[in-house]
Amino acid sequence: NFMLTQPHSVSESPGKTVTISCTRSSGSIAGNYVQWYQQRPGSAPTTVIYEDKKRPSGVPNRFSGSIDRSSNSASLTISGLKTEDEADYYCQSYDSNVHRVFGGGTKLTVL
Amino acid sequence: EVQLVESGGGLVQPGRSLRLSCVASGFTFDDYAMHWVRQAPGEGLEWVSGISWNSVDIAYADSVKGRFTISRDAAKNSLYLQMNSLRPEDTALYYCAKSARLYYYGMDVWGQGTTVTVSS
């Protein structure tokens, strides 16, 4: 089993760009797809990035995902920040057919 | 409309049991792996358990292994979580989630959750 570590919180101003990291504790980040979820208060999570860098339909192209083998991390980048992007973001991967792993979550504040 | 509706949560004493249910509609239940994910108050998401479409593959988080049992009933389009020997740290909102159509290793549909409170 491995763990995914995220920063507890990040903050940035509207219109700017923010990047949230997700570091895998063991094994290669490139070995298993990473998804990113957005969760607003009182709501269930929704997917903003799947399979490392793909966007579900309806998710604006301000959201992008990538992986970095050198740091064994995945990243979620949100450009042109809007106040509506303020939410908790979670990375998620897997280590078997039905075993899933979530990162601890990052609270994004847009101020 | 694709929908998951959880039920069965409530207040329970430590050491007791509870069974959660999740009824699926709007998609072919048999085609998808399903998961339980929980969120303690003010905390992050924690994957609890997953089950393949045919119930052959089942997995649990270490925190619940040996106490919780996941199952599914295709005839009833339902997913279950039997929770035994409950502990205060099991207190959380429990979500049922569907394995995604386009990305098997993620989840694309979530229920609204059912709240479990373990307290004396």
Side-chain angles (χ1 to χ4, degrees), chain B residues 56-91:
Chain B
V56 169
D57 289 323
I58 287 175
Y60 300 96
D62 289 344
S63 57
V64 307
K65 202 173 294 183
R67 300 187 299 123
F68 289 13
T69 302
I70 192 172
S71 62
R72 62 191 297 163
D73 184 337
K76 297 182 178 180
N77 277 0
S78 292
L79 176 73
Y80 304 102
L81 187 68
Q82 177 66 43
M83 304 186 295
N84 298 332
S85 303
L86 281 162
R87 305 168 179 168
E89 55 264 36
D90 296 319
T91 294

PDB file of all heavy atoms in Angstrom, chain B residues 56-91:
ATOM      1  N   VAL B  56     -16.266 -10.764  -7.333  1.00  0.00           N
ATOM      2  CA  VAL B  56     -15.076 -11.618  -7.213  1.00  0.00           C
ATOM      3  C   VAL B  56     -13.954 -10.879  -6.491  1.00  0.00           C
ATOM      4  O   VAL B  56     -13.238 -11.447  -5.661  1.00  0.00           O
ATOM      5  CB  VAL B  56     -14.622 -12.082  -8.610  1.00  0.00           C
ATOM      6  CG1 VAL B  56     -13.248 -12.738  -8.542  1.00  0.00           C
ATOM      7  CG2 VAL B  56     -15.639 -13.066  -9.181  1.00  0.00           C
ATOM      8  N   ASP B  57     -13.772  -9.634  -6.828  1.00  0.00           N
ATOM      9  CA  ASP B  57     -12.729  -8.831  -6.186  1.00  0.00           C
ATOM     10  C   ASP B  57     -13.339  -7.921  -5.135  1.00  0.00           C
ATOM     11  O   ASP B  57     -14.264  -7.151  -5.432  1.00  0.00           O
ATOM     12  CB  ASP B  57     -11.989  -7.972  -7.216  1.00  0.00           C
ATOM     13  CG  ASP B  57     -11.112  -8.808  -8.126  1.00  0.00           C
ATOM     14  OD1 ASP B  57     -10.515  -9.776  -7.644  1.00  0.00           O
ATOM     15  OD2 ASP B  57     -11.024  -8.476  -9.319  1.00  0.00           O
ATOM     16  N   ILE B  58     -12.829  -8.006  -3.937  1.00  0.00           N
ATOM     17  CA  ILE B  58     -13.287  -7.180  -2.817  1.00  0.00           C
ATOM     18  C   ILE B  58     -12.049  -6.692  -2.066  1.00  0.00           C
ATOM     19  O   ILE B  58     -11.072  -7.439  -1.907  1.00  0.00           O
ATOM     20  CB  ILE B  58     -14.205  -7.990  -1.871  1.00  0.00           C
ATOM     21  CG1 ILE B  58     -15.566  -8.227  -2.528  1.00  0.00           C
ATOM     22  CG2 ILE B  58     -14.368  -7.303  -0.526  1.00  0.00           C
ATOM     23  CD1 ILE B  58     -16.504  -9.117  -1.739  1.00  0.00           C
ATOM     24  N   ALA B  59     -12.085  -5.448  -1.641  1.00  0.00           N
ATOM     25  CA  ALA B  59     -10.963  -4.899  -0.890  1.00  0.00           C
ATOM     26  C   ALA B  59     -11.477  -3.959   0.198  1.00  0.00           C
ATOM     27  O   ALA B  59     -12.570  -3.395   0.079  1.00  0.00           O
ATOM     28  CB  ALA B  59      -9.997  -4.149  -1.810  1.00  0.00           C
ATOM     29  N   TYR B  60     -10.670  -3.834   1.264  1.00  0.00           N
ATOM     30  CA  TYR B  60     -11.026  -2.990   2.402  1.00  0.00           C
ATOM     31  C   TYR B  60      -9.837  -2.137   2.819  1.00  0.00           C
ATOM     32  O   TYR B  60      -8.677  -2.541   2.677  1.00  0.00           O
ATOM     33  CB  TYR B  60     -11.439  -3.849   3.600  1.00  0.00           C
ATOM     34  CG  TYR B  60     -12.630  -4.739   3.361  1.00  0.00           C
ATOM     35  CD1 TYR B  60     -12.468  -6.073   2.989  1.00  0.00           C
ATOM     36  CD2 TYR B  60     -13.925  -4.246   3.499  1.00  0.00           C
ATOM     37  CE1 TYR B  60     -13.551  -6.889   2.757  1.00  0.00           C
ATOM     38  CE2 TYR B  60     -15.024  -5.059   3.266  1.00  0.00           C
ATOM     39  CZ  TYR B  60     -14.829  -6.378   2.897  1.00  0.00           C
ATOM     40  OH  TYR B  60     -15.927  -7.187   2.666  1.00  0.00           O
ATOM     41  N   ALA B  61     -10.144  -0.989   3.366  1.00  0.00           N
ATOM     42  CA  ALA B  61      -9.107  -0.199   4.013  1.00  0.00           C
ATOM     43  C   ALA B  61      -8.663  -0.934   5.276  1.00  0.00           C
ATOM     44  O   ALA B  61      -9.460  -1.641   5.904  1.00  0.00           O
ATOM     45  CB  ALA B  61      -9.651   1.183   4.371  1.00  0.00           C
ATOM     46  N   ASP B  62      -7.404  -0.758   5.636  1.00  0.00           N
ATOM     47  CA  ASP B  62      -6.893  -1.433   6.838  1.00  0.00           C
ATOM     48  C   ASP B  62      -7.701  -1.068   8.083  1.00  0.00           C
ATOM     49  O   ASP B  62      -7.856  -1.875   8.994  1.00  0.00           O
ATOM     50  CB  ASP B  62      -5.423  -1.063   7.052  1.00  0.00           C
ATOM     51  CG  ASP B  62      -4.501  -1.702   6.026  1.00  0.00           C
ATOM     52  OD1 ASP B  62      -4.939  -2.661   5.346  1.00  0.00           O
ATOM     53  OD2 ASP B  62      -3.354  -1.238   5.895  1.00  0.00           O
ATOM     54  N   SER B  63      -8.224   0.142   8.099  1.00  0.00           N
ATOM     55  CA  SER B  63      -8.943   0.640   9.278  1.00  0.00           C
ATOM     56  C   SER B  63     -10.253  -0.098   9.539  1.00  0.00           C
ATOM     57  O   SER B  63     -10.795  -0.025  10.645  1.00  0.00           O
ATOM     58  CB  SER B  63      -9.220   2.136   9.134  1.00  0.00           C
ATOM     59  OG  SER B  63      -9.960   2.386   7.949  1.00  0.00           O
ATOM     60  N   VAL B  64     -10.769  -0.810   8.533  1.00  0.00           N
ATOM     61  CA  VAL B  64     -12.064  -1.498   8.698  1.00  0.00           C
ATOM     62  C   VAL B  64     -11.973  -2.987   8.431  1.00  0.00           C
ATOM     63  O   VAL B  64     -12.969  -3.715   8.633  1.00  0.00           O
ATOM     64  CB  VAL B  64     -13.157  -0.873   7.798  1.00  0.00           C
ATOM     65  CG1 VAL B  64     -13.241   0.633   8.023  1.00  0.00           C
ATOM     66  CG2 VAL B  64     -12.919  -1.197   6.333  1.00  0.00           C
ATOM     67  N   LYS B  65     -10.822  -3.446   7.993  1.00  0.00           N
ATOM     68  CA  LYS B  65     -10.665  -4.853   7.636  1.00  0.00           C
ATOM     69  C   LYS B  65     -10.981  -5.738   8.836  1.00  0.00           C
ATOM     70  O   LYS B  65     -10.519  -5.486   9.943  1.00  0.00           O
ATOM     71  CB  LYS B  65      -9.241  -5.099   7.156  1.00  0.00           C
ATOM     72  CG  LYS B  65      -9.058  -6.321   6.294  1.00  0.00           C
ATOM     73  CD  LYS B  65      -7.638  -6.378   5.725  1.00  0.00           C
ATOM     74  CE  LYS B  65      -7.364  -5.255   4.764  1.00  0.00           C
ATOM     75  NZ  LYS B  65      -6.023  -5.330   4.156  1.00  0.00           N
ATOM     76  N   GLY B  66     -11.791  -6.770   8.588  1.00  0.00           N
ATOM     77  CA  GLY B  66     -12.174  -7.683   9.656  1.00  0.00           C
ATOM     78  C   GLY B  66     -13.417  -7.257  10.412  1.00  0.00           C
ATOM     79  O   GLY B  66     -13.974  -8.045  11.189  1.00  0.00           O
ATOM     80  N   ARG B  67     -13.855  -6.023  10.206  1.00  0.00           N
ATOM     81  CA  ARG B  67     -15.060  -5.522  10.898  1.00  0.00           C
ATOM     82  C   ARG B  67     -16.182  -5.210   9.922  1.00  0.00           C
ATOM     83  O   ARG B  67     -17.361  -5.354  10.265  1.00  0.00           O
ATOM     84  CB  ARG B  67     -14.723  -4.260  11.693  1.00  0.00           C
ATOM     85  CG  ARG B  67     -13.673  -4.446  12.766  1.00  0.00           C
ATOM     86  CD  ARG B  67     -13.523  -3.184  13.617  1.00  0.00           C
ATOM     87  NE  ARG B  67     -13.104  -2.019  12.854  1.00  0.00           N
ATOM     88  CZ  ARG B  67     -13.780  -0.886  12.793  1.00  0.00           C
ATOM     89  NH1 ARG B  67     -14.930  -0.751  13.442  1.00  0.00           N
ATOM     90  NH2 ARG B  67     -13.314   0.137  12.094  1.00  0.00           N
ATOM     91  N   PHE B  68     -15.831  -4.751   8.728  1.00  0.00           N
ATOM     92  CA  PHE B  68     -16.834  -4.368   7.732  1.00  0.00           C
ATOM     93  C   PHE B  68     -16.868  -5.407   6.616  1.00  0.00           C
ATOM     94  O   PHE B  68     -15.840  -5.998   6.263  1.00  0.00           O
ATOM     95  CB  PHE B  68     -16.490  -3.010   7.127  1.00  0.00           C
ATOM     96  CG  PHE B  68     -16.672  -1.833   8.040  1.00  0.00           C
ATOM     97  CD1 PHE B  68     -16.868  -1.976   9.411  1.00  0.00           C
ATOM     98  CD2 PHE B  68     -16.615  -0.542   7.534  1.00  0.00           C
ATOM     99  CE1 PHE B  68     -17.029  -0.886  10.247  1.00  0.00           C
ATOM    100  CE2 PHE B  68     -16.774   0.573   8.354  1.00  0.00           C
ATOM    101  CZ  PHE B  68     -16.973   0.382   9.711  1.00  0.00           C
ATOM    102  N   THR B  69     -18.069  -5.578   6.024  1.00  0.00           N
ATOM    103  CA  THR B  69     -18.232  -6.480   4.893  1.00  0.00           C
ATOM    104  C   THR B  69     -19.062  -5.791   3.822  1.00  0.00           C
ATOM    105  O   THR B  69     -20.173  -5.329   4.090  1.00  0.00           O
ATOM    106  CB  THR B  69     -18.931  -7.783   5.312  1.00  0.00           C
ATOM    107  OG1 THR B  69     -18.172  -8.421   6.345  1.00  0.00           O
ATOM    108  CG2 THR B  69     -19.069  -8.730   4.123  1.00  0.00           C
ATOM    109  N   ILE B  70     -18.517  -5.758   2.622  1.00  0.00           N
ATOM    110  CA  ILE B  70     -19.216  -5.171   1.483  1.00  0.00           C
ATOM    111  C   ILE B  70     -19.879  -6.281   0.685  1.00  0.00           C
ATOM    112  O   ILE B  70     -19.354  -7.397   0.595  1.00  0.00           O
ATOM    113  CB  ILE B  70     -18.250  -4.347   0.595  1.00  0.00           C
ATOM    114  CG1 ILE B  70     -18.999  -3.501  -0.425  1.00  0.00           C
ATOM    115  CG2 ILE B  70     -17.235  -5.266  -0.086  1.00  0.00           C
ATOM    116  CD1 ILE B  70     -18.093  -2.522  -1.203  1.00  0.00           C
ATOM    117  N   SER B  71     -21.048  -5.986   0.112  1.00  0.00           N
ATOM    118  CA  SER B  71     -21.724  -6.957  -0.737  1.00  0.00           C
ATOM    119  C   SER B  71     -22.635  -6.212  -1.695  1.00  0.00           C
ATOM    120  O   SER B  71     -22.878  -5.019  -1.533  1.00  0.00           O
ATOM    121  CB  SER B  71     -22.524  -7.963   0.107  1.00  0.00           C
ATOM    122  OG  SER B  71     -23.538  -7.301   0.844  1.00  0.00           O
ATOM    123  N   ARG B  72     -23.132  -6.931  -2.679  1.00  0.00           N
ATOM    124  CA  ARG B  72     -24.048  -6.327  -3.648  1.00  0.00           C
ATOM    125  C   ARG B  72     -25.075  -7.344  -4.079  1.00  0.00           C
ATOM    126  O   ARG B  72     -24.834  -8.555  -4.038  1.00  0.00           O
ATOM    127  CB  ARG B  72     -23.272  -5.774  -4.845  1.00  0.00           C
ATOM    128  CG  ARG B  72     -22.504  -6.794  -5.640  1.00  0.00           C
ATOM    129  CD  ARG B  72     -21.555  -6.124  -6.636  1.00  0.00           C
ATOM    130  NE  ARG B  72     -22.280  -5.343  -7.638  1.00  0.00           N
ATOM    131  CZ  ARG B  72     -21.713  -4.408  -8.402  1.00  0.00           C
ATOM    132  NH1 ARG B  72     -20.434  -4.130  -8.267  1.00  0.00           N
ATOM    133  NH2 ARG B  72     -22.435  -3.753  -9.301  1.00  0.00           N
ATOM    134  N   ASP B  73     -26.234  -6.843  -4.501  1.00  0.00           N
ATOM    135  CA  ASP B  73     -27.335  -7.685  -4.959  1.00  0.00           C
ATOM    136  C   ASP B  73     -27.817  -7.122  -6.283  1.00  0.00           C
ATOM    137  O   ASP B  73     -28.475  -6.070  -6.318  1.00  0.00           O
ATOM    138  CB  ASP B  73     -28.454  -7.691  -3.915  1.00  0.00           C
ATOM    139  CG  ASP B  73     -29.594  -8.628  -4.273  1.00  0.00           C
ATOM    140  OD1 ASP B  73     -29.763  -8.942  -5.466  1.00  0.00           O
ATOM    141  OD2 ASP B  73     -30.327  -9.045  -3.366  1.00  0.00           O
ATOM    142  N   ALA B  74     -27.488  -7.826  -7.371  1.00  0.00           N
ATOM    143  CA  ALA B  74     -27.844  -7.337  -8.695  1.00  0.00           C
ATOM    144  C   ALA B  74     -29.354  -7.270  -8.883  1.00  0.00           C
ATOM    145  O   ALA B  74     -29.866  -6.362  -9.549  1.00  0.00           O
ATOM    146  CB  ALA B  74     -27.197  -8.220  -9.756  1.00  0.00           C
ATOM    147  N   ALA B  75     -30.072  -8.198  -8.323  1.00  0.00           N
ATOM    148  CA  ALA B  75     -31.528  -8.227  -8.490  1.00  0.00           C
ATOM    149  C   ALA B  75     -32.190  -7.006  -7.872  1.00  0.00           C
ATOM    150  O   ALA B  75     -33.257  -6.578  -8.307  1.00  0.00           O
ATOM    151  CB  ALA B  75     -32.095  -9.500  -7.873  1.00  0.00           C
ATOM    152  N   LYS B  76     -31.548  -6.447  -6.865  1.00  0.00           N
ATOM    153  CA  LYS B  76     -32.109  -5.281  -6.180  1.00  0.00           C
ATOM    154  C   LYS B  76     -31.357  -4.003  -6.517  1.00  0.00           C
ATOM    155  O   LYS B  76     -31.630  -2.951  -5.926  1.00  0.00           O
ATOM    156  CB  LYS B  76     -32.092  -5.499  -4.668  1.00  0.00           C
ATOM    157  CG  LYS B  76     -32.965  -6.658  -4.211  1.00  0.00           C
ATOM    158  CD  LYS B  76     -32.954  -6.807  -2.707  1.00  0.00           C
ATOM    159  CE  LYS B  76     -33.873  -7.947  -2.265  1.00  0.00           C
ATOM    160  NZ  LYS B  76     -33.887  -8.115  -0.787  1.00  0.00           N
ATOM    161  N   ASN B  77     -30.392  -4.099  -7.449  1.00  0.00           N
ATOM    162  CA  ASN B  77     -29.577  -2.918  -7.797  1.00  0.00           C
ATOM    163  C   ASN B  77     -29.025  -2.236  -6.543  1.00  0.00           C
ATOM    164  O   ASN B  77     -29.055  -1.006  -6.432  1.00  0.00           O
ATOM    165  CB  ASN B  77     -30.407  -1.913  -8.599  1.00  0.00           C
ATOM    166  CG  ASN B  77     -30.484  -2.245 -10.076  1.00  0.00           C
ATOM    167  OD1 ASN B  77     -29.918  -3.236 -10.529  1.00  0.00           O
ATOM    168  ND2 ASN B  77     -31.186  -1.441 -10.831  1.00  0.00           N
ATOM    169  N   SER B  78     -28.535  -3.049  -5.635  1.00  0.00           N
ATOM    170  CA  SER B  78     -28.164  -2.507  -4.333  1.00  0.00           C
ATOM    171  C   SER B  78     -26.757  -2.917  -3.903  1.00  0.00           C
ATOM    172  O   SER B  78     -26.289  -4.021  -4.190  1.00  0.00           O
ATOM    173  CB  SER B  78     -29.158  -2.950  -3.263  1.00  0.00           C
ATOM    174  OG  SER B  78     -30.425  -2.360  -3.467  1.00  0.00           O
ATOM    175  N   LEU B  79     -26.137  -2.002  -3.192  1.00  0.00           N
ATOM    176  CA  LEU B  79     -24.819  -2.187  -2.577  1.00  0.00           C
ATOM    177  C   LEU B  79     -25.015  -2.089  -1.074  1.00  0.00           C
ATOM    178  O   LEU B  79     -25.840  -1.299  -0.604  1.00  0.00           O
ATOM    179  CB  LEU B  79     -23.864  -1.102  -3.046  1.00  0.00           C
ATOM    180  CG  LEU B  79     -22.463  -1.063  -2.446  1.00  0.00           C
ATOM    181  CD1 LEU B  79     -21.627  -2.209  -3.011  1.00  0.00           C
ATOM    182  CD2 LEU B  79     -21.788   0.277  -2.735  1.00  0.00           C
ATOM    183  N   TYR B  80     -24.260  -2.895  -0.338  1.00  0.00           N
ATOM    184  CA  TYR B  80     -24.409  -2.910   1.112  1.00  0.00           C
ATOM    185  C   TYR B  80     -23.053  -2.777   1.805  1.00  0.00           C
ATOM    186  O   TYR B  80     -22.011  -3.107   1.245  1.00  0.00           O
ATOM    187  CB  TYR B  80     -25.072  -4.221   1.573  1.00  0.00           C
ATOM    188  CG  TYR B  80     -26.393  -4.490   0.916  1.00  0.00           C
ATOM    189  CD1 TYR B  80     -26.492  -5.403  -0.135  1.00  0.00           C
ATOM    190  CD2 TYR B  80     -27.545  -3.834   1.323  1.00  0.00           C
ATOM    191  CE1 TYR B  80     -27.696  -5.648  -0.760  1.00  0.00           C
ATOM    192  CE2 TYR B  80     -28.767  -4.077   0.709  1.00  0.00           C
ATOM    193  CZ  TYR B  80     -28.832  -4.986  -0.334  1.00  0.00           C
ATOM    194  OH  TYR B  80     -30.043  -5.225  -0.944  1.00  0.00           O
ATOM    195  N   LEU B  81     -23.112  -2.316   3.050  1.00  0.00           N
ATOM    196  CA  LEU B  81     -21.933  -2.325   3.906  1.00  0.00           C
ATOM    197  C   LEU B  81     -22.379  -2.741   5.298  1.00  0.00           C
ATOM    198  O   LEU B  81     -23.087  -1.992   5.977  1.00  0.00           O
ATOM    199  CB  LEU B  81     -21.258  -0.953   3.953  1.00  0.00           C
ATOM    200  CG  LEU B  81     -19.922  -0.922   4.701  1.00  0.00           C
ATOM    201  CD1 LEU B  81     -18.853  -1.719   3.938  1.00  0.00           C
ATOM    202  CD2 LEU B  81     -19.436   0.517   4.920  1.00  0.00           C
ATOM    203  N   GLN B  82     -21.996  -3.950   5.677  1.00  0.00           N
ATOM    204  CA  GLN B  82     -22.268  -4.436   7.020  1.00  0.00           C
ATOM    205  C   GLN B  82     -21.119  -3.984   7.918  1.00  0.00           C
ATOM    206  O   GLN B  82     -19.968  -4.338   7.670  1.00  0.00           O
ATOM    207  CB  GLN B  82     -22.384  -5.960   7.024  1.00  0.00           C
ATOM    208  CG  GLN B  82     -22.607  -6.562   8.398  1.00  0.00           C
ATOM    209  CD  GLN B  82     -23.945  -6.195   9.002  1.00  0.00           C
ATOM    210  OE1 GLN B  82     -24.968  -6.211   8.319  1.00  0.00           O
ATOM    211  NE2 GLN B  82     -23.942  -5.867  10.290  1.00  0.00           N
ATOM    212  N   MET B  83     -21.448  -3.231   8.943  1.00  0.00           N
ATOM    213  CA  MET B  83     -20.425  -2.672   9.822  1.00  0.00           C
ATOM    214  C   MET B  83     -20.600  -3.261  11.218  1.00  0.00           C
ATOM    215  O   MET B  83     -21.631  -3.030  11.862  1.00  0.00           O
ATOM    216  CB  MET B  83     -20.549  -1.144   9.860  1.00  0.00           C
ATOM    217  CG  MET B  83     -20.488  -0.503   8.484  1.00  0.00           C
ATOM    218  SD  MET B  83     -20.449   1.293   8.550  1.00  0.00           S
ATOM    219  CE  MET B  83     -22.052   1.624   9.258  1.00  0.00           C
ATOM    220  N   ASN B  84     -19.642  -4.024  11.653  1.00  0.00           N
ATOM    221  CA  ASN B  84     -19.669  -4.642  12.980  1.00  0.00           C
ATOM    222  C   ASN B  84     -18.595  -4.025  13.869  1.00  0.00           C
ATOM    223  O   ASN B  84     -17.670  -3.369  13.383  1.00  0.00           O
ATOM    224  CB  ASN B  84     -19.436  -6.145  12.869  1.00  0.00           C
ATOM    225  CG  ASN B  84     -20.504  -6.853  12.063  1.00  0.00           C
ATOM    226  OD1 ASN B  84     -21.658  -6.403  12.001  1.00  0.00           O
ATOM    227  ND2 ASN B  84     -20.139  -7.958  11.442  1.00  0.00           N
ATOM    228  N   SER B  85     -18.723  -4.259  15.168  1.00  0.00           N
ATOM    229  CA  SER B  85     -17.735  -3.780  16.148  1.00  0.00           C
ATOM    230  C   SER B  85     -17.397  -2.314  15.913  1.00  0.00           C
ATOM    231  O   SER B  85     -16.226  -1.927  15.833  1.00  0.00           O
ATOM    232  CB  SER B  85     -16.466  -4.632  16.068  1.00  0.00           C
ATOM    233  OG  SER B  85     -16.747  -5.993  16.277  1.00  0.00           O
ATOM    234  N   LEU B  86     -18.435  -1.511  15.789  1.00  0.00           N
ATOM    235  CA  LEU B  86     -18.234  -0.098  15.462  1.00  0.00           C
ATOM    236  C   LEU B  86     -17.487   0.640  16.563  1.00  0.00           C
ATOM    237  O   LEU B  86     -17.647   0.360  17.763  1.00  0.00           O
ATOM    238  CB  LEU B  86     -19.578   0.570  15.185  1.00  0.00           C
ATOM    239  CG  LEU B  86     -20.132   0.268  13.776  1.00  0.00           C
ATOM    240  CD1 LEU B  86     -21.610   0.554  13.698  1.00  0.00           C
ATOM    241  CD2 LEU B  86     -19.360   1.052  12.729  1.00  0.00           C
ATOM    242  N   ARG B  87     -16.682   1.602  16.127  1.00  0.00           N
ATOM    243  CA  ARG B  87     -15.861   2.407  17.027  1.00  0.00           C
ATOM    244  C   ARG B  87     -16.205   3.881  16.844  1.00  0.00           C
ATOM    245  O   ARG B  87     -16.689   4.281  15.772  1.00  0.00           O
ATOM    246  CB  ARG B  87     -14.388   2.197  16.694  1.00  0.00           C
ATOM    247  CG  ARG B  87     -13.934   0.757  16.710  1.00  0.00           C
ATOM    248  CD  ARG B  87     -12.554   0.625  16.078  1.00  0.00           C
ATOM    249  NE  ARG B  87     -12.069  -0.761  16.102  1.00  0.00           N
ATOM    250  CZ  ARG B  87     -11.014  -1.198  15.432  1.00  0.00           C
ATOM    251  NH1 ARG B  87     -10.294  -0.342  14.697  1.00  0.00           N
ATOM    252  NH2 ARG B  87     -10.651  -2.457  15.500  1.00  0.00           N
ATOM    253  N   PRO B  88     -15.926   4.709  17.828  1.00  0.00           N
ATOM    254  CA  PRO B  88     -16.189   6.144  17.665  1.00  0.00           C
ATOM    255  C   PRO B  88     -15.503   6.726  16.421  1.00  0.00           C
ATOM    256  O   PRO B  88     -16.062   7.623  15.775  1.00  0.00           O
ATOM    257  CB  PRO B  88     -15.609   6.745  18.949  1.00  0.00           C
ATOM    258  CG  PRO B  88     -15.764   5.653  19.956  1.00  0.00           C
ATOM    259  CD  PRO B  88     -15.500   4.379  19.190  1.00  0.00           C
ATOM    260  N   GLU B  89     -14.337   6.218  16.065  1.00  0.00           N
ATOM    261  CA  GLU B  89     -13.630   6.743  14.899  1.00  0.00           C
ATOM    262  C   GLU B  89     -14.284   6.335  13.573  1.00  0.00           C
ATOM    263  O   GLU B  89     -13.839   6.780  12.503  1.00  0.00           O
ATOM    264  CB  GLU B  89     -12.154   6.312  14.909  1.00  0.00           C
ATOM    265  CG  GLU B  89     -11.919   4.824  15.018  1.00  0.00           C
ATOM    266  CD  GLU B  89     -11.669   4.363  16.442  1.00  0.00           C
ATOM    267  OE1 GLU B  89     -12.294   4.932  17.383  1.00  0.00           O
ATOM    268  OE2 GLU B  89     -10.851   3.437  16.618  1.00  0.00           O
ATOM    269  N   ASP B  90     -15.311   5.506  13.612  1.00  0.00           N
ATOM    270  CA  ASP B  90     -16.078   5.186  12.410  1.00  0.00           C
ATOM    271  C   ASP B  90     -17.163   6.234  12.133  1.00  0.00           C
ATOM    272  O   ASP B  90     -17.845   6.166  11.112  1.00  0.00           O
ATOM    273  CB  ASP B  90     -16.736   3.810  12.533  1.00  0.00           C
ATOM    274  CG  ASP B  90     -15.732   2.683  12.625  1.00  0.00           C
ATOM    275  OD1 ASP B  90     -14.719   2.735  11.880  1.00  0.00           O
ATOM    276  OD2 ASP B  90     -15.943   1.759  13.433  1.00  0.00           O
ATOM    277  N   THR B  91     -17.317   7.180  13.031  1.00  0.00           N
ATOM    278  CA  THR B  91     -18.295   8.253  12.844  1.00  0.00           C
ATOM    279  C   THR B  91     -17.945   9.050  11.596  1.00  0.00           C
ATOM    280  O   THR B  91     -16.833   9.580  11.474  1.00  0.00           O
ATOM    281  CB  THR B  91     -18.307   9.184  14.071  1.00  0.00           C
ATOM    282  OG1 THR B  91     -18.792   8.458  15.197  1.00  0.00           O
ATOM    283  CG2 THR B  91     -19.185  10.405  13.816  1.00  0.00           C
TER     284      THR B  91
END
